[in-house]
Structure formats: C-alpha cells, structure tokens
Amino acid sequence: MEDVDPVRDIGMPDRFTPYTFFLTVVLSLTWILAAIPAMVPAYVAPPASGGVNSSRIGDFYTVIDEFELSATTAEWTTMAYFLGSLLVGQIPCALSDKIGRKPVAFYSALFTGISGVIAALAPNYWIFLIGRFLQGAFFTATTNVNWVMVCESVPLSRHGRASIVFGVMWCTGYCIIAPIAILFPTWRQLFLVTSIPTIIYAFVMQYSVRESLSFLVIRRRRDEVEAWIQTAEKYGGVKVTHSFEGGCLDTLLDDRMDESPSRRSTYSGSSTSSEQQRSMKELTMEAFKDKKTLVYLLISIYMWITDFLVYNGLSLTSTGIKIGNPHWNYVMSGLVELPAAFVLPLLMDTIGRRATVILSHAETALALLALGFIPLENEILYMIVWLAAKFGTASSFIALYIYGSEIFHIKYRNICLGICCTLGNLGAMAAPYTAHLGVSSQTAVYSIYAALSLVSSGLDIFLPETMHLHSHRPIGVTQSPPIEA
C-alpha cells in the first residue's frame, strides 16, 4: 500500500519548517496544561497508600483538610475527573470532525481553565467536584485534538519527532506541579495558578495558529488552504511546489482521488460520500461483526484499562511513598517518563511494535512483583525498582497510542480508538480504590498491577505486527495505511 499524506501532496516539504515547528510547539503546550489537572490529585487529595495514610504532604493544605473528608469521599477528586472524560470526553472530539479542529481545541482549553477556576472558588466539596467533572470532560479534546492538528499539518515522516515534543511537554506539566505546590501551598491557590494560564493559552492559540492543513484540504476550503500556505511561506522560508491559481487545488484533489482507493478514501470530502452518510452506529456494528476487528478491539480495551489503572495508581501515590521527600518522589516519577519518550520510538522501529508492547508490559510486571519482596528499609533499591515500574507503565502507555492507531482498519480506526480511550477511564477511576487497598497491603496492590500487566503482555501476542507499514520512515506515523480487516 502507498502512503496517504495530504501535507506532502499539497506541496509542503518533507521536513519541519520554522512555521510547522512553531505550530508543533504551540499546540503541544496544551499537554503541559492537560497534565496538571489530571495529576493534581496527588497533592490536593492524595490517596492513602501503603507508605502513608495521611491527607497532608508537608505543609500543603488539601481539600481533605478544608472539607474534613473521609478517604473514600476524597477519592472522588480523581474519580469525578475521569468520570467526566468517560461520559463526555468523546463528544468534542467527534465534533472536531464536523466543525474543525481549531474551534474545538480553543473552547476545550478555555473551558478547562474556567472549570479549574470554578473548582478553586468552590464553597463546598460538591461544587468542587462539578469543576473537576467539567475539567475531565475536556481532557480528551485538549490532548487528542491538538495532537491531531499537528499530525495533519506536518509530513508523516515528522510525526515521530512531534510525538517526542508532546511527550516532553506532558512530563513538564507533570513535574511542574511540585514546585508550584511548594510556592502556593493550598489547593485553592494551586488550582487558580494552574487554571488561569490555560484560559490565556486558549486565546494565544486561537490567534497564533491556523486550522489543520489536512482538514482544510479534505474539506476543499481553497481560500483557507491558500492562506495557510502563504503563512508557511512567509514565516517558514519555504516555497510550496504547487500553484493554487485557477482552481488548481480542486484539480490536484481530483487527480489524487483518481490514483488509488486509499487516496480516494482520504481525500473524499464530499457530503455525498457513502462512507460519510453512514452513521456512527452502523460503522460500529459493522466493526463488531468483523471477528478480527472485534478481537483486536477487546484486547486493546483490556490493555488501555490496565495501563490507565497502573499509570494513575503509581503516579497519584508517588507523594505517599514512605521514603525520602514526597516532592522529590513525585518529580522523579515524572522525570522517569522522559527516557521513555525518547527510547520507545527507537525501540519500536528496531524490534517492532508488538515486541515492544510485550516487553514494556512484561518489564512493568516484573518490577512490580519485585517491589513486594524489597523492604522499605532498603530505600535506594526500593526507589530504583519503583521508578523502573513507572518507566515501564509510561512506556506501555506511549506504545498504545502509537500501536493502537495502526492495528485497526481505517474505516473503524476512530471508532475503535475512541472506545479504547473512553473505557480506559474506568482504570483511572479505579486507581484511588486500589491505592486505598495499599494501606493494609501494598504488596497486594503491586501484585494486582503486576498480574494485570503480565496478562496484557500475553494478550499482545494475538495482535498483528505493523512495523512493515512504516519500514521506510520513522516511528510515530499515526496516519498510516490500514491493515486490511
């Protein structure tokens, strides 16, 4: 099969230009702002864990302190967020296919910030939870839509490098919570300081970037494509190889649609397309009837739920480890993800997607099992193995985003990935409960995590290898030719 790359087809060079790199950086900033509300419960409502059963991290004043919450009630700080993502998160993403990526990205960032302010000013815990629910409702959009905008505005060969930028931004947002919490040691201050910049960012993004190039091409918005290209030429020092005089854009699209079925399916922006006329329900039912797709989907759902659970379970309890400084423990649990962001693409391109996913889950399982046999008194060894487990689950998480976009037929890809992402929130919602179990037996919690990760490693054997689809270009290309179902 041939590659389908609207960015290259329209005449953009096969590299980062100053303008496309600028887009990548600006749009990736949202991952800093998205990581903060997702991970902030580690400070504002830290789960009870095996090391500590306390609602306070140093001098930080938590929602548990202010509203005198029980451990069970406090867990809703995390659950409300992921419940919002579970119930509402896919709506703005689906809307971006109709009205465009940019308006959805703008309003998602804006309402995420406003929801954080609502939570910060909440007079009681229940209003606070409403703010958390609304933050979670826009989590999927603030992460996925901005990533899609970059993928649709830079060549396929640069998606892997773009994913590294986004990964670094996530780690930055993850780690920056600790110094902010030290400088602003109350939960209300923390929410205000981290929410107001998100509102400002929404307007900065609105006025500094254009709509996704591929979206404009596919929708045949000739004038907007011309404006996009002119901006890239003006600020990026590039010369596009195609002219748009005299309706050449439509001619280009028609020529591309005539070349192959894969291009016809990609470039067909007409409302008369039979695929577009089919409802989401019809495509979902068709995917469920295809045995191969259904098997891949069920396995993927299990792995997404497991990785959400283990990742959040380790992240949110990092401040409660009874070793060392809780702030440094939290920062280290974020910094250990940086090697994963850089090493994983190389590993997947070297030994294959499936082997990498198997190894990352197996490494996570082995590290978690080992923790059960290391006494807390052996602080250095315990922390090394704990960080190895965090590295493993972070690697597994990154791998699922890359691998998951390749194993489904292009007809069902958005539907299947949407189902996986949505149901993965169930694992995140369960994380506080497993952390609470750790008060009585941390070994039991780590053993549960290890068993679930080990099953993921075994199930991945039944998924296809997809490296051959990208054998001539770097990893991370999410708009790849589909595997025939």
Side-chain angles (χ1 to χ4, degrees):
M1 296 180 189
E2 62 176 315
D3 294 339
V4 181
D5 189 349
V7 177
R8 291 287 293 120
D9 289 343
I10 213 67
M12 290 293 292
D14 191 22
R15 58 180 173 83
F16 271 121
T17 68
Y19 181 65
T20 53
F21 184 74
F22 169 78
L23 290 180
T24 301
V25 172
V26 171
L27 292 172
S28 67
L29 289 174
T30 191
W31 278 36
I32 295 179
L33 304 171
I36 293 173
M39 295 294 108
V40 78
Y43 276 86
V44 302
S49 64
V52 174
N53 184 14
S54 172
S55 63
R56 184 178 288 274
I57 300 171
D59 295 326
F60 192 85
Y61 189 66
T62 69
V63 295
I64 301 176
D65 298 326
E66 178 162 337
F67 298 124
E68 299 181 350
L69 305 175
S70 66
T72 302
T73 304
E75 289 165 357
W76 276 97
T77 301
T78 298
M79 288 187 60
Y81 183 85
F82 288 106
L83 184 63
S85 181
L86 175 67
L87 298 180
V88 185
Q90 290 304 309
I91 295 177
C93 291
L95 193 61
S96 71
D97 287 332
K98 295 184 177 294
I99 67 173
R101 314 324 188 186
K102 184 179 174 180
V104 171
F106 167 71
Y107 285 111
S108 295
L110 178 63
F111 290 137
T112 297
I114 293 174
S115 301
V117 173
I118 291 174
L121 302 177
N124 56 61
Y125 186 58
W126 306 112
I127 300 298
F128 170 78
L129 291 182
I130 291 175
R132 289 290 292 165
F133 179 91
L134 293 175
Q135 281 188 312
F138 294 102
F139 171 72
T140 303
T142 54
T143 53
N144 290 1
V145 174
N146 283 45
W147 166 246
V148 168
M149 285 182 69
V150 168
C151 288
E152 294 179 343
S153 299
V154 303
L156 289 170
S157 62
R158 295 298 177 263
H159 288 189
R161 297 182 185 182
S163 71
I164 294 175
V165 177
F166 275 75
V168 170
M169 294 298 184
W170 176 270
C171 292
T172 302
Y174 185 114
C175 295
I176 203 173
I177 296 175
I180 293 176
I182 294 174
L183 293 173
F184 301 93
T186 73
W187 70 270
R188 290 187 186 274
Q189 292 175 338
L190 180 57
F191 266 83
L192 276 177
V193 168
T194 56
S195 297
I196 292 176
T198 307
I199 298 175
I200 297 173
Y201 167 79
F203 290 97
V204 171
M205 179 187 65
Q206 176 72 2
Y207 291 102
S208 63
V209 304
R210 292 187 177 274
E211 178 60 89
S212 148
L213 178 58
S214 296
F215 181 85
L216 296 176
V217 170
I218 293 171
R219 294 305 175 110
R220 297 175 177 270
R221 297 183 183 178
R222 180 181 180 277
D223 293 341
E224 292 180 69
V225 172
E226 285 192 69
W228 201 105
I229 296 299
Q230 290 170 359
T231 302
E233 290 181 329
K234 179 179 180 181
Y235 297 105
V238 299
K239 184 65 178 176
V240 176
T241 57
H242 288 292
S243 170
F244 299 105
E245 297 296 331
C248 286
L249 174 59
D250 291 336
T251 301
L252 171 65
L253 292 178
D254 291 338
D255 290 343
R256 291 303 186 182
M257 288 175 65
D258 289 339
E259 289 180 3
S260 69
S262 62
R263 289 193 183 278
R264 285 197 298 271
S265 66
T266 298
Y267 287 101
S268 179
S270 172
S271 59
T272 61
S273 168
S274 60
E275 285 297 323
Q276 289 189 353
Q277 288 181 343
R278 298 170 68 187
S279 68
M280 184 75 71
K281 180 179 179 181
E282 289 174 327
L283 282 174
T284 303
M285 293 307 297
E286 182 179 315
F288 287 169
K289 291 178 181 178
D290 185 276
K291 292 183 179 179
K292 184 183 295 185
T293 300
L294 183 59
V295 170
Y296 294 169
L297 178 61
L298 292 175
I299 293 174
S300 297
I301 288 173
Y302 174 85
M303 290 197 296
W304 279 80
I305 293 175
T306 296
D307 286 359
F308 263 79
L309 170 62
V310 177
Y311 179 87
N312 283 280
L314 293 179
S315 298
L316 298 179
T317 59
S318 58
T319 53
I321 300 176
K322 200 176 181 179
I323 295 175
N325 182 285
H327 299 296
W328 274 113
N329 290 345
Y330 177 82
V331 171
M332 289 300 297
S333 74
L335 290 177
V336 77
E337 296 186 21
L338 281 176
F342 286 94
V343 171
L344 197 72
L346 177 63
L347 189 61
M348 295 186 83
D349 218 19
T350 303
I351 67 174
R353 275 70 162 155
R354 180 169 58 187
T356 301
V357 175
I358 291 173
L359 287 176
S360 62
H361 283 101
E363 188 272 333
T364 303
L366 291 175
L368 289 168
L369 283 174
L371 282 175
F373 299 95
I374 302 175
L376 285 172
E377 290 74 18
N378 196 338
E379 297 184 0
I380 295 178
L381 180 61
Y382 187 93
M383 283 304 302
I384 290 175
V385 176
W386 190 94
L387 291 173
K390 183 63 192 302
F391 170 84
T393 191
S395 299
S396 300
F397 213 97
I398 296 171
L400 281 188
Y401 269 98
I402 299 174
Y403 189 39
S405 67
E406 300 175 354
I407 62 177
F408 298 112
H409 191 283
I410 193 170
K411 290 193 299 183
Y412 315 127
R413 188 172 296 161
N414 286 337
I415 294 172
C416 292
L417 287 180
I419 292 173
C420 291
C421 290
T422 300
L423 295 182
N425 288 289
L426 294 173
M429 291 171 62
Y433 288 103
T434 58
H436 184 64
L437 174 63
V439 173
S440 57
S441 177
Q442 191 66 54
T443 300
V445 174
Y446 290 152
S447 297
I448 292 172
Y449 290 170
L452 294 173
S453 298
L454 199 59
V455 171
S456 290
S457 183
L459 288 176
D460 192 59
I461 296 173
F462 300 99
L463 295 179
E465 177 55 66
T466 60
M467 185 173 66
H468 63 283
L469 299 177
H470 308 266
S471 58
H472 63 290
R473 66 171 178 261
I475 183 70
V477 178
T478 59
Q479 303 290 327
S480 60
I483 293 178
E484 296 295 342

Coordinates of all heavy atoms in Angstrom, one line a residue, residues 4-6 218 261-269 410:
V4 N -0.6 7.8 2.4 CA -1.5 8.9 2.1 C -1.1 10.1 3.0 O -1.3 10.0 4.2 CB -3.0 8.5 2.4 CG1 -3.9 9.6 2.1 CG2 -3.3 7.2 1.6
D5 N -0.5 11.1 2.4 CA 0.0 12.2 3.1 C -0.5 13.5 2.5 O 0.2 14.1 1.6 CB 1.5 12.2 3.2 CG 2.1 13.2 4.1 OD1 1.4 14.1 4.6 OD2 3.3 13.1 4.4
P6 N -1.6 14.1 2.9 CA -2.1 15.3 2.3 C -1.1 16.5 2.4 O -1.1 17.3 1.5 CB -3.4 15.6 3.1 CG -3.8 14.3 3.6 CD -2.5 13.5 3.9
I218 N -9.0 18.4 2.8 CA -10.0 17.4 2.6 C -11.4 18.0 2.5 O -12.2 17.6 1.8 CB -10.0 16.4 3.8 CG1 -8.7 15.6 3.7 CG2 -11.2 15.5 3.8 CD1 -8.4 14.7 4.9
P261 N -7.6 3.7 -4.3 CA -8.7 3.6 -3.3 C -8.3 4.3 -2.0 O -9.1 4.9 -1.4 CB -8.9 2.1 -3.2 CG -8.4 1.5 -4.4 CD -7.2 2.3 -4.8
S262 N -7.0 4.1 -1.6 CA -6.6 4.7 -0.3 C -6.7 6.2 -0.3 O -7.1 6.8 0.6 CB -5.2 4.2 0.1 OG -4.3 4.6 -0.9
R263 N -6.3 6.8 -1.5 CA -6.3 8.2 -1.6 C -7.8 8.7 -1.7 O -8.1 9.7 -1.2 CB -5.5 8.7 -2.8 CG -4.0 8.6 -2.5 CD -3.2 9.3 -3.6 NE -1.8 9.1 -3.3 CZ -1.1 9.8 -2.5 NH1 -1.6 10.7 -1.7 NH2 0.2 9.6 -2.4
R264 N -8.6 7.9 -2.4 CA -10.0 8.3 -2.6 C -10.6 8.4 -1.2 O -11.4 9.3 -0.9 CB -10.7 7.4 -3.5 CG -10.4 7.6 -5.0 CD -11.4 6.9 -5.8 NE -11.5 5.5 -5.6 CZ -10.8 4.6 -6.3 NH1 -9.9 5.0 -7.2 NH2 -10.9 3.3 -6.1
S265 N -10.3 7.4 -0.3 CA -11.0 7.4 1.0 C -10.5 8.5 1.9 O -11.2 9.0 2.7 CB -10.7 6.1 1.7 OG -9.3 5.9 2.0
T266 N -9.2 9.0 1.6 CA -8.7 10.0 2.4 C -9.1 11.4 2.0 O -9.4 12.2 2.8 CB -7.1 10.0 2.4 OG1 -6.7 8.7 2.9 CG2 -6.5 11.1 3.2
Y267 N -9.1 11.6 0.7 CA -9.4 13.0 0.1 C -10.9 13.2 -0.1 O -11.2 14.3 -0.5 CB -8.6 13.2 -1.1 CG -7.2 13.4 -0.9 CD1 -6.2 12.4 -1.1 CD2 -6.7 14.6 -0.4 CE1 -4.9 12.6 -0.8 CE2 -5.4 14.8 -0.1 CZ -4.5 13.8 -0.4 OH -3.2 14.0 -0.1
S268 N -11.7 12.2 0.0 CA -13.1 12.4 -0.3 C -13.7 13.3 0.8 O -14.0 12.9 1.9 CB -13.9 11.1 -0.3 OG -15.2 11.3 -0.6
G269 N -14.0 14.5 0.4 CA -14.6 15.5 1.4 C -16.0 15.8 1.0 O -16.6 16.6 1.6
I410 N -8.8 1.4 8.6 CA -9.0 2.9 8.6 C -10.5 3.2 8.7 O -10.9 4.2 9.3 CB -8.4 3.5 7.3 CG1 -8.4 5.0 7.4 CG2 -9.2 3.1 6.1 CD1 -7.6 5.7 6.3

